Amino acid sequence: MSYLVLDGLTKQYGSIMAVDDLHLEIKKGEFVSLLGPSGCGKTTTLQMIAGFVDPTKGSIVLDGKDLLRIPANKRGLGIVFQNYALFPHMTAAQNVAFGLEMLKVCKDELSSRVKETLSLVGLSHLADRFPARMSGGQQQRVALARALAIRPSILLLDEPLSNLDAKLREEMQLELRSIQRLVGTTTILVTHDQSEAMALSDRVVVMNQGRIEQIAEPYIAYEKPETEFVSGFLGKANSFIMGVRIEGGNVFGQIGEKKFPLRDTKLSAGKVIIRPEKISFCLQESAILSGKMKSRVFQGNHWLCQVETTLGGVTVIQQNDGKEIAPEGSEVHLNWKPEDMRSLNA
Ligand SMILES: Nc1ncnc2c1ncn2[C@@H]1O[C@H](COP(=O)(O)OP(=O)(O)O)[C@@H](O)[C@H]1O
Ligand SMILES: [Mg+2]
């Protein structure tokens, strides 16, 4: 049973379709990310759920109730927006207590919930500190505690970590994930960062120009992108035009000069993609493609290589097994398993 259902949700600003006929069902306890480039309609979608923006068309149903008939402040949602700052004149504890006071929670319950929620985000020791004397990460933790203290039916997060530096952002991602798993609150995260969405979510909703391109588990979206946009947005992909031939009852694919058996793949003729980490260096006789190592960059656990071939540049990621790989300028040969390719026009 779906807990939250967006049906035909649409927001038009003049001639701009900010959100275009969105259909999305979210289960209770699920962590879903809206992922896509700037301007694709993520924030507008979240704001319609929050009640700050009225849809042009469509419905939002939460737990069987028509959410659009309920005013924003009565929806019982927890919200952490990038620009949804803490109250500067209130301590961490007072900030967290704020939403509970609005709900007229009794005094004893209020103080125990503030303690409990601050402890959940690891900030018990900073209860009496003012925001100006906290780091960016600590402030976002307070904002998260403030949103969770009211025990929201849904937690809405709009780029909550994007103001933090890279290392802190990664730490906070892990923490956010474990807090969400612990409290089990249904969560929708808006982000343009594909690694953040993949790290945190049960499912990602990849959006482009107001529309949904694909809804899938992170691993499926990455391995089996349904559109070229999804393929490119979730990571680097090499694309080739593949021909298909049938000879003697067997099906062969052909890229450039090279023919290879396709067997049990679902590949069809036309554009195919292959991720850089699925390509390996090999001997000339087993190569699908050959070329020149244009650049190789050592990145600790892997090498990032650009190989120049007659079919264009190919990106290859080679796990570091402790040995040095072929030097720049040398001739290299590439192969991969046909089943690791995906057709984009299937
Ligand atoms: N209040 C508004 N008035 C006019 N256009 C808007 C308004 N809010 C958003 N838009 C437009 O709607 C589109 C989607 O915006 P938004 O939802 O903020 O995207 P995202 O959060 O994915 O970056 C953009 O083209 C944006 O310029
Ligand atoms: Mg936005």
Side-chain angles (χ1 to χ4, degrees):
M1 238 288 277
S2 297
Y3 186 54
L4 179 72
V5 180
L6 312 184
D7 191 15
L9 196 63
T10 300
K11 180 67 189 182
Q12 194 166 358
Y13 289 110
S15 61
I16 298 173
M17 289 298 261
V19 174
D20 190 0
D21 194 29
L22 227 71
H23 294 263
L24 176 62
E25 301 197 6
I26 297 178
K27 290 192 279 291
K28 194 162 188 169
E30 221 183 345
F31 194 127
V32 169
S33 292
L34 306 182
L35 171 67
S38 174
C40 74
K42 307 177 298 291
T43 293
T44 305
T45 304
L46 214 66
Q47 300 263 7
M48 289 192 278
I49 299 170
F52 303 144
V53 168
D54 291 326
T56 309
K57 265 195 306 202
S59 69
I60 307 177
V61 174
L62 173 62
D63 205 9
K65 288 188 285 288
D66 179 0
L67 208 58
L68 296 179
R69 301 173 68 100
I70 305 172
N73 61 351
K74 296 263 159 54
R75 291 188 185 187
L77 309 174
I79 299 169
V80 181
F81 287 166
Q82 190 184 341
N83 55 359
Y84 203 71
L86 297 174
F87 305 114
H89 60 288
M90 293 184 189
T91 63
Q94 287 165 343
N95 266 283
V96 176
F98 179 78
L100 296 168
E101 282 159 5
M102 295 283 107
L103 290 177
K104 305 209 169 25
V105 170
C106 77
K107 232 177 137 194
D108 287 351
E109 167 84 11
L110 185 141
S111 104
S112 75
R113 274 219 232 166
V114 168
K115 280 208 185 89
E116 176 190 303
T117 322
L118 278 175
S119 143
L120 182 71
V121 300
L123 283 187
S124 301
H125 60 297
L126 298 184
D128 298 323
R129 195 169 282 192
F130 287 94
R133 292 192 49 235
M134 288 187 258
S135 71
Q138 288 166 340
Q139 290 186 34
Q140 276 309 64
R141 270 174 232 240
V142 176
L144 181 61
R146 183 174 63 182
L148 285 172
I150 61 162
R151 302 203 176 135
S153 47
I154 303 183
L155 182 62
L156 301 175
L157 307 169
D158 193 346
E159 312 259 5
L161 309 179
S162 59
N163 286 340
L164 308 177
D165 65 58
K167 190 161 172 293
L168 184 58
R169 193 160 67 225
E170 263 177 41
E171 279 171 31
M172 287 286 289
Q173 283 170 5
L174 293 174
E175 206 167 315
L176 183 57
R177 185 185 153 100
S178 66
I179 291 171
Q180 194 272 344
R181 299 293 193 268
L182 192 69
V183 296
T185 308
T186 310
T187 301
I188 305 176
L189 169 75
V190 156
T191 181
H192 64 273
D193 178 339
Q194 85 284 0
S195 66
E196 180 165 297
M198 290 200 275
L200 284 165
S201 325
D202 298 312
R203 287 188 300 157
V204 292
V205 177
V206 185
M207 293 178 66
N208 181 27
Q209 297 187 338
R211 303 189 69 96
I212 293 177
E213 294 261 337
Q214 187 169 358
I215 305 175
E217 288 171 49
Y219 158 79
I220 300 288
Y222 183 86
E223 290 296 332
K224 296 180 179 167
E226 282 167 8
T227 67
E228 185 150 25
F229 179 83
V230 174
S231 155
F233 199 77
L234 291 190
K236 174 76 193 158
N238 298 294
S239 68
F240 300 105
I241 301 298
M242 186 181 76
V244 170
R245 296 205 213 159
I246 299 175
E247 285 174 21
N250 295 314
V251 185
F252 292 88
Q254 177 160 7
I255 289 176
E257 307 280 297
K258 180 75 182 182
K259 256 190 346 186
F260 43 86
L262 283 183
R263 289 193 207 97
D264 297 332
T265 66
K266 292 198 183 105
L267 297 167
S268 53
K271 197 171 223 170
V272 291
I273 58 152
I274 179 88
R275 297 272 184 210
E277 71 277 12
K278 305 284 190 329
I279 302 179
S280 39
F281 294 107
C282 65
L283 296 173
Q284 185 164 14
E285 52 267 31
S286 47
I288 293 179
L289 260 181
S290 296
K292 197 169 89 176
M293 183 77 91
K294 195 172 165 217
S295 74
R296 47 156 229 199
V297 179
F298 182 58
Q299 301 200 313
N301 60 356
H302 69 266
W303 296 84
L304 177 61
C305 311
Q306 292 298 329
V307 177
E308 215 162 58
T309 76
T310 49
L311 300 182
V314 176
T315 304
V316 179
I317 288 176
Q318 171 86 12
Q319 281 309 304
N320 172 22
D321 62 2
K323 293 189 208 78
E324 193 181 354
I325 62 168
E328 289 176 356
S330 63
E331 197 187 353
V332 290
H333 308 285
L334 308 174
N335 76 0
W336 56 88
K337 295 187 203 137
E339 60 265 34
D340 283 338
M341 290 189 286
R342 301 286 166 237
S343 283
L344 284 179
N345 47 357

